[in-house]
Amino acid sequence: MSTYTEEVGSKLNDLLEKTYDAEKGYTKAAENIEHAALKSYFKNKAQERYNFGHELKSEIKAYNQEVDKGGSLTGKAHRAWMDVKSLFSSDNEESMLEEAIRGEKAAIDEYQDVLSETSLPSSTKSILESQKNTIQNGLTNIKTLEDLR
């Protein structure tokens, strides 16, 4: 039977933290954008990450692991960068869209890293595969929005 190691618990908490960061970043982006389709996209992505976070928390708790709270320092810096970029960029919607694409690609890499862990229980692997696939599908959609610009 697969079990959670301390390392797996740590990786899942890192993923959870980045999920919180993404949720906050997408919420911030939705607040700072006028383009209706992009605003809707960012709001939907924030809700998606909120849901992902709850799934991850439940899974971590189910295996008696501690859940870390709060966002990462990197995430705070990323959101601050998006704030600055929105203030000084004449084409801030395009900048935020590019940053969202970069963040989604990084998230896929993070998921892949955790999924490569051999000791993952099937329930965890299933949740992570589903979330990763949702992010990958979202990248296709965001590229369609990029074409609208």
Side-chain angles (χ1 to χ4, degrees), residues 11-132:
K11 283 184 176 186
L12 287 173
N13 268 301
D14 286 347
L15 199 55
L16 179 61
E17 197 171 274
K18 289 175 180 154
T19 299
Y20 289 145
D21 291 339
E23 177 192 346
K24 291 172 191 167
Y26 279 124
T27 299
K28 195 76 162 154
E31 291 168 358
N32 290 313
I33 209 155
E34 297 300 320
H35 189 279
L38 286 176
K39 184 180 277 291
S40 175
Y41 175 81
F42 288 139
K43 282 181 179 178
N44 288 337
K45 293 304 283 184
Q47 183 63 49
E48 174 186 285
R49 288 312 205 284
Y50 174 84
N51 296 340
F52 284 4
H54 281 278
E55 285 179 330
L56 288 170
K57 274 198 293 194
S58 294
E59 189 68 7
I60 292 167
K61 287 178 182 176
Y63 287 92
N64 298 317
Q65 296 291 309
E66 287 294 314
V67 175
D68 292 340
K69 302 271 193 247
S72 72
L73 188 57
T74 306
K76 288 177 183 133
H78 181 81
R79 284 189 303 281
W81 180 88
M82 284 183 86
D83 285 345
V84 169
K85 197 135 187 167
S86 71
L87 289 173
F88 296 111
S89 175
S90 59
D91 195 0
N92 66 344
E93 291 175 350
E94 186 175 329
S95 296
M96 284 192 269
L97 193 56
E98 287 170 7
E99 192 57 22
I101 291 169
R102 189 190 68 71
E104 293 294 75
K105 288 178 179 175
I108 290 168
D109 290 343
E110 294 286 335
Y111 274 86
Q112 202 53 56
D113 179 51
V114 179
L115 282 164
S116 69
E117 182 65 48
T118 56
S119 63
L120 285 179
S122 60
S123 62
T124 304
K125 192 170 188 132
S126 176
I127 288 169
L128 296 179
E129 284 285 357
S130 173
Q131 291 183 358
K132 183 183 81 133

